[in-house]
Amino acid sequence: MIVSATFSKPDKNIEKLLEKPFVRMKVRAANTSDGSEYFAEFFTEKQAFHKKMTAFELDEFIEKYGGKAFKNCIIRTETEEITIFANRRGEIKRSSKKISGVMHVLKNNAIQVQHHNREKNYIIKEGTPVPFLVLLGVMTSDGKVISSKYDKFRQINRFLEFVDDILPHFEKDLSNSIKITDFGCGKSYLTFALHYFFTEIKKIPVEITGLDLKKEVIDWCNTISSQLELKEIHFTFGDIASYTHKTSPDIVITLHACDTATDYAIDYAVKHRCKAILSVPCCQKEVNAQLDENIRKWKKNGAMPKEFAPLFKYGIIKERFSALLTDSLRADFLESNGYSVQVMEFIDMENTPKNILIRAVKKNDFSQNKITDLEKTLEISPTIRKL
């Protein structure tokens, strides 16, 4: 199985071959909910384009463009590194080398990869079967993590570490049931992980609600919950913006809630005085769109804020700046409403470009919603302020 692929050294005719003047391309295994197995990023000098690919599409792309549109292509599988390149005469060559420290194993009809140097003191241990991980296809029945799901296993453990760190703030509440709401729960790997963490590892009573806009996903999650016989976890179809519940949660989590959905989740948590918020934002398009409109206006009026002009020169930089600006304003908003806030790396950038986690713990009841000088200068109005 291909784990990642990198394409570089574009041919002079690449724009004719791929319709844009790409300078490089990166592909990583993704296993997304829509069935796509790979996430590809195409880069020009000024922009980045994203695309999901199946294994068949990736194989076709490598066959068609490896060593041709891109004169250098490095492919990493679970056991080897393969290089496809064009020599000075234009001949396509292929070389490979084994990756050290990796042993390829076939067990219980599932291909697994054992990395001798990846031992880590995870909260959920490898080697002991965990019911929800087995049912969700992350583990085999004897507790071995399936190689293609190891990034998911690592992500789950990393998230639980963030939750474990804030438990001291709940010392007075641990005798009661901790209430958690997962906005935009998707297939609920983390929702089930939280239930297992609290009930089986920490022995703390918990009530968890997962909310998502996709009814088929909610039905699937409820089926899994029923199969696992979990009475303390429920999944509901609905929108974050209109969600109501008879009791307020202690913890709100959001993983890759798209664009302004993260703002609605944060707003809900603040208004319901939640004790903690853990949010991994995604697809921060709102501020980027507002800046696009403002840049056109500033250029027309000759009023471009000079100190920010270099950030607006290249599309990919402006896009990333907009995302970081959005998350900075979210963190500032939480601090201004009595939360102690940390902005942290969730998992390595190698695995996902959406790798920022905002963790906030309630400290006091101070509350304000003051527009920052940055927002005034850039003439932006993010949803978190409007709410």
Side-chain angles (χ1 to χ4, degrees), residues 12 25 67 98 109 130 148 183 185 187 300 308 332 347:
K12 62 182 179 181
M25 173 187 170
K98 296 293 182 182
N109 295 320
V130 176
S148 62
F183 286 121
C185 61
K187 286 195 171 181
K300 184 178 180 180
F308 290 99
D332 180 76
I347 54 178

Side-chain angles (χ1 to χ4, degrees), residues 103 105 107 111-130 133 138-140 142-151 153-154 157 196 201:
M103 183 170 62
V105 179
K107 191 170 184 179
I111 296 177
Q112 300 169 16
V113 177
Q114 296 180 352
H115 295 258
H116 301 307
N117 60 351
R118 77 178 185 187
E119 291 298 324
K120 180 171 170 57
N121 188 26
Y122 287 126
I123 289 177
I124 295 180
K125 309 293 184 184
E126 185 174 4
T128 301
V130 176
L133 290 177
V138 177
M139 275 185 174
T140 61
D142 59 353
K144 297 295 182 181
V145 177
I146 295 171
S147 61
S148 62
K149 294 291 186 178
Y150 196 84
D151 281 346
F153 178 73
R154 180 169 167 264
N157 274 285
Y196 182 83
I201 297 176

Side-chain angles (χ1 to χ4, degrees), residues 198-235:
F198 277 101
T199 59
E200 299 299 324
I201 297 176
K202 293 296 182 178
K203 307 300 181 184
I204 298 170
V206 68
E207 297 174 32
I208 303 178
T209 299
L211 182 78
D212 201 277
L213 273 173
K214 296 179 180 179
K215 190 176 185 305
E216 65 275 15
V217 168
I218 291 300
D219 291 341
W220 184 87
C221 290
N222 278 319
T223 298
I224 297 295
S225 180
S226 177
Q227 290 175 356
L228 292 168
E229 298 182 350
L230 305 180
K231 297 180 180 179
E232 307 89 354
I233 186 167
H234 306 280
F235 295 94

Side-chain angles (χ1 to χ4, degrees), residues 11 31 61 69 72 91 94 126 146 184 227 328 378:
D11 183 81
N31 293 310
F61 188 93
N72 193 62
E91 298 169 336
R94 184 185 183 101
E126 185 174 4
I146 295 171
Q227 290 175 356
S328 297
L378 295 176

